[in-house]
Amino acid sequence: MRKNIVAGNWKMNLNRTEGIALVEDVLAKLPSDNNTHVVLAPSFVYLHKVAKMCANTSKVVAAAQDCSANKKGAFTGEVSASMLASCGARYVVLGHSEKRANFAESNEILKTKVGQAFRNDLKVIFCCGESLSQRESGVHFDWIKAQISESLFQLSSEEFKNIVVAYEPIWAIGTGVTASTEQAQEIHAFIRNILVGQYGEEVAENTSILYGGSCKPSNAKELFASQDIDGGLIGGASLSSDDFVKITQSF
Ligand code: PEP
């Protein structure tokens, strides 16, 4: 059975004090019978602290928002997957559209990053999604298929069990415009079908596919009720403990 997952991507928000307060609030507000797998992705600089706070509970695990494609060495400013693992990260978010756009991350580079993550026992939340113009010109299915196949299909079926896919239409990220449940479900079913083709029914059925893009308490329930939507990658709404915890309870 695949997991229901809600992951908070804090992006470049919150200072250390604010971040710690948010984790404390989330931990306090999550019900003791919480069945959702909850992930928090803070900035690198206090990932270690967040991971430590989460280590005392089974409620939440920590994630990094990116990792280097390189193992170690003269890469000033980069953070390796091994460093993240040593700081207590359990996941790394890779292929976020902001990283793809602002740092020219290609599918090939992401393939290398996935390799680094796996060599360091980090699970990967792999983001994919199309721009508005790609959707309007009808190339979005091929685009998403290429993003997934070119960065992930080197993995064995066994390795793929450590992949969570996040469908994040770029036009819905941080815009307040959410994909309709039908639009999201259509792409999620398409992604699952691609996985069936590559890895077979069992792996595809066991892969969690998250939706991301202006997901909030008011729309999470309807989105998460869809057959192929197994949770969310949450940006803006993850900065409010009330909103974020409500989203985690929307299944
Ligand atoms: C994101 O950046 O991953 C995201 C989904 O952002 P938001 O929820 O703010 O649209």
Side-chain angles (χ1 to χ4, degrees):
M1 267 299 284
R2 56 189 184 252
K3 281 187 188 134
N4 289 330
I5 300 175
V6 173
N9 172 18
W10 293 359
K11 311 194 189 195
M12 198 172 72
N13 291 300
L14 308 176
N15 64 28
R16 191 174 190 275
T17 308
E18 292 163 341
I20 290 170
L22 181 54
V23 179
E24 278 169 353
D25 286 350
V26 167
L27 291 174
K29 288 174 188 171
L30 274 174
S32 50
D33 61 351
N34 166 54
N35 282 324
T36 304
H37 190 62
V38 180
V39 181
L40 290 177
S43 155
F44 286 141
V45 290
Y46 40 87
L47 174 66
H48 184 231
K49 175 67 183 169
V50 171
K52 237 176 147 179
M53 292 172 78
C54 297
N56 301 326
T57 154
S58 56
K59 288 181 173 181
V60 182
V61 297
Q65 296 176 16
D66 187 28
C67 72
S68 174
N70 299 293
K71 187 177 172 193
K72 63 185 280 193
F75 301 100
T76 302
E78 293 211 19
V79 179
S80 72
S82 129
M83 291 169 180
L84 300 173
S86 75
C87 286
R90 301 271 296 281
Y91 285 83
V92 57
V93 177
L94 292 178
H96 192 284
S97 58
E98 288 153 13
K99 292 291 300 183
R100 288 180 189 262
N102 298 333
F103 298 89
E105 274 194 348
S106 63
N107 294 341
E108 193 59 30
I109 290 173
L110 287 165
K111 179 180 176 180
T112 310
K113 289 190 174 192
V114 169
Q116 293 293 356
F118 274 37
R119 277 189 284 283
N120 290 282
D121 295 325
L122 293 172
K123 294 177 196 288
V124 170
I125 298 177
F126 182 80
C127 304
C128 59
E130 80 287 359
S131 66
L132 189 56
S133 64
Q134 286 171 321
R135 174 168 278 268
E136 284 171 348
S137 59
V139 299
H140 52 306
F141 290 105
D142 286 346
W143 176 258
I144 290 166
K145 187 172 185 180
Q147 287 181 315
I148 291 175
S149 61
E150 291 174 19
S151 298
L152 298 180
F153 282 1
Q154 73 283 4
L155 300 172
S156 67
S157 302
E158 199 49 40
E159 288 172 324
F160 203 86
K161 291 177 183 162
N162 292 312
I163 293 286
V164 173
V165 178
Y167 168 57
E168 297 209 306
I170 297 168
W171 46 272
I173 296 179
T175 58
V177 179
T178 316
S180 70
T181 305
E182 294 70 30
Q183 286 172 321
Q185 166 59 27
E186 181 185 37
I187 300 292
H188 282 233
F190 170 72
I191 292 171
R192 203 174 304 284
N193 205 36
I194 297 172
L195 303 186
V196 172
Q198 179 70 14
Y199 293 109
E201 286 282 347
E202 196 189 332
V203 171
E205 278 306 311
N206 286 326
T207 302
S208 300
I209 306 178
L210 314 184
Y211 168 77
S214 300
C215 185
K216 40 191 180 269
S218 58
N219 57 29
K221 228 180 201 128
E222 191 185 326
L223 284 160
F224 297 175
S226 293
Q227 193 183 340
D228 290 292
I229 303 181
D230 309 309
L233 179 55
I234 316 298
S238 72
L239 301 175
S240 152
S241 59
D242 279 343
D243 285 354
F244 184 66
V245 170
K246 273 186 203 143
I247 295 171
T248 69
Q249 304 305 301
S250 296
F251 293 92

